[in-house]
Amino acid sequence: MEEGTMKSPGHLTGTMGGQPAAAATAAVPGGCADGGAADADCDYDARQWDVREGCEVRQILDRVADKWSLLVIALLDRRVLRFTELRREIDGISQRMLTVTLRQLERDGLVGRTVHPVVPPRVDYELTPLGATLHDTIQALVSWTEEHQSEIAVARTAYDERVARERGDAAHTPH
């Protein structure tokens, strides 16, 4: 694959830095959990990812973990791209979805937008320092996925075979 092309999250490249696991799982003061202290053996309280509509942690996770946001953040790692360049690099994204994604990432402080006063207007996008820290975490997740993809494939095959056998047995069992 050519440098700079992005066809799937499995092709992200770059260096990892910091402690992404700690950054991704650190307890958030004022989170949405119903209370209770984090387990003494854990760095976080999983209940902070509450599914209630007003939970900020859940809203942020939903935003940054969707497939389009992940791809935009990965593509903007250490470079500035125009809207058309981003659209060309991300297979399957519509103009409207890219616009919505970029606005949301800009609102969250992860992407910066620069409008140049030329005709036609030129708009550049880049990661903010906050967005760059998120890229490190995403890269760690992609690296884990690449490292364990064969194990996951084996587990999926075993599961599918087991379910198929169970369905076959259930079809021949008198009711």
Side-chain angles (χ1 to χ4, degrees):
M1 183 176 296
E2 293 177 19
E3 183 176 323
T5 60
M6 172 64 61
K7 301 303 178 196
S8 73
H11 294 92
L12 301 178
T13 59
T15 58
M16 290 187 296
Q19 299 295 325
T25 60
V28 176
C32 304
D34 291 326
D39 183 35
D41 297 329
C42 296
D43 291 322
Y44 69 98
D45 182 350
R47 291 173 293 175
Q48 74 182 351
W49 303 341
D50 199 320
V51 295
R52 288 179 289 183
E53 189 174 317
C55 180
E56 263 189 71
V57 171
R58 179 76 257 164
Q59 290 171 0
I60 294 167
L61 286 171
D62 287 346
R63 168 86 28 79
V64 299
D66 76 62
K67 72 178 182 178
W68 302 127
S69 294
L70 289 172
L71 290 170
V72 167
I73 292 165
L75 285 167
L76 292 176
D77 181 41
R78 294 187 293 274
R79 62 183 178 159
V80 177
L81 293 174
R82 294 174 69 180
F83 183 92
T84 54
E85 293 170 318
L86 281 166
R87 178 133 188 250
R88 201 173 20 249
E89 295 287 334
I90 303 174
D91 285 341
I93 194 167
S94 68
Q95 181 171 333
R96 181 185 181 288
M97 184 52 66
L98 181 55
T99 298
V100 168
T101 300
L102 287 166
R103 284 181 185 160
Q104 291 173 338
L105 292 172
E106 182 182 6
R107 180 173 183 251
D108 289 343
L110 302 172
V111 168
R113 178 177 181 264
T114 304
V115 179
H116 300 278
V118 295
V119 176
R122 190 178 108 214
V123 181
D124 293 330
Y125 295 92
E126 62 185 319
L127 289 181
T128 64
L130 180 62
T133 65
L134 180 58
H135 180 270
D136 293 341
T137 300
I138 292 168
Q139 183 58 47
L141 179 61
V142 170
S143 295
W144 179 91
T145 304
E146 289 173 339
E147 183 179 328
H148 296 287
Q149 66 185 345
S150 61
E151 295 168 70
I152 293 168
V154 168
R156 286 177 175 176
T157 299
Y159 175 88
D160 292 345
E161 289 171 354
R162 187 186 83 234
V163 169
R165 279 193 312 275
E166 290 170 357
R167 284 188 185 140
D169 291 346
H172 300 337
T173 303
H175 297 295

